Amino acid sequence: MATSRTARRPDALTLEVVELIGAVVARYHEEYEEAAAGHTLTGAQARLLSLLSLEPLPMRKLAQRLKCEPSNVTGIVDRLESRGLVERRPDPVDRRVKLAAATAEGRRVARSLQESLRFAREPLAGLSEEERVALRDALRRMLRED
């Protein structure tokens, strides 16, 4: 038996918002891929580097966050390491675990990637601070897990 939550059809406004969110996501990914290519990186390499610019992470956690197999993460880390953007180091808490960490150059490239994303910056600049706060808060509510 379907619950009222799953049985109810979305209204036209909800459908339009879903379409617009999809368009925003597609445009973001397109620009992200272009920005990555500008640094001779694949999108996956750029995403991994961005994660590591925030904090060193074990390979397993990287795979979970990127939603891919650990063996794929190993290959990506290998390629970034060969370019001097990432390094492996022992976890200070558990020396059996290897952490991947962005090097100073890796953090610089990750920052440059973020700064080159015109898509996020230009349309948001046209919104007032109040509108940006409302958008941020609405997106946070949407992402909150029940």
Side-chain angles (χ1 to χ4, degrees):
M1 182 172 173
T3 66
S4 62
R5 188 176 191 188
T6 59
R8 198 174 335 142
R9 295 209 164 178
D11 61 274
L13 177 60
T14 298
L15 291 174
E16 183 181 5
V17 169
V18 168
E19 277 294 313
L20 289 168
I21 290 171
V24 166
V25 168
R27 195 161 157 198
Y28 175 83
H29 283 295
E30 184 180 308
E31 279 215 12
Y32 200 85
E33 294 289 329
E34 286 176 20
H39 290 278
T40 324
L41 296 169
T42 65
Q45 289 171 336
R47 284 187 293 281
L48 187 142
L49 189 58
S50 291
L51 283 173
L52 293 180
S53 71
L54 301 174
E55 64 179 323
L57 291 167
M59 305 293 248
R60 186 180 305 115
K61 218 172 234 172
L62 275 170
Q64 289 170 343
R65 291 203 183 157
L66 293 172
K67 297 184 182 4
C68 67
E69 293 297 317
S71 60
N72 291 345
V73 169
T74 300
I76 296 169
V77 169
D78 287 345
R79 287 185 286 285
L80 292 173
E81 189 173 37
S82 72
R83 291 185 53 187
L85 301 175
V86 167
E87 64 186 8
R88 287 177 171 91
R89 57 173 84 140
D91 184 332
V93 177
D94 183 349
R95 301 201 50 81
R96 296 169 297 173
V97 174
K98 288 285 186 196
L99 297 178
T103 62
E105 177 64 8
R107 287 188 299 279
R108 187 195 67 73
V109 169
R111 222 176 7 263
S112 176
L113 271 166
Q114 288 296 89
E115 290 169 359
S116 68
L117 292 174
R118 297 177 323 276
F119 168 68
R121 205 172 41 244
E122 291 171 4
L124 289 174
L127 300 177
S128 69
E129 182 175 358
E130 182 179 306
E131 289 170 320
R132 290 192 313 270
V133 167
L135 178 59
R136 180 204 60 200
D137 293 348
L139 291 170
R140 283 181 176 170
R141 279 194 314 272
M142 287 178 66
L143 293 171
R144 218 177 279 139
E145 297 193 27
D146 296 325

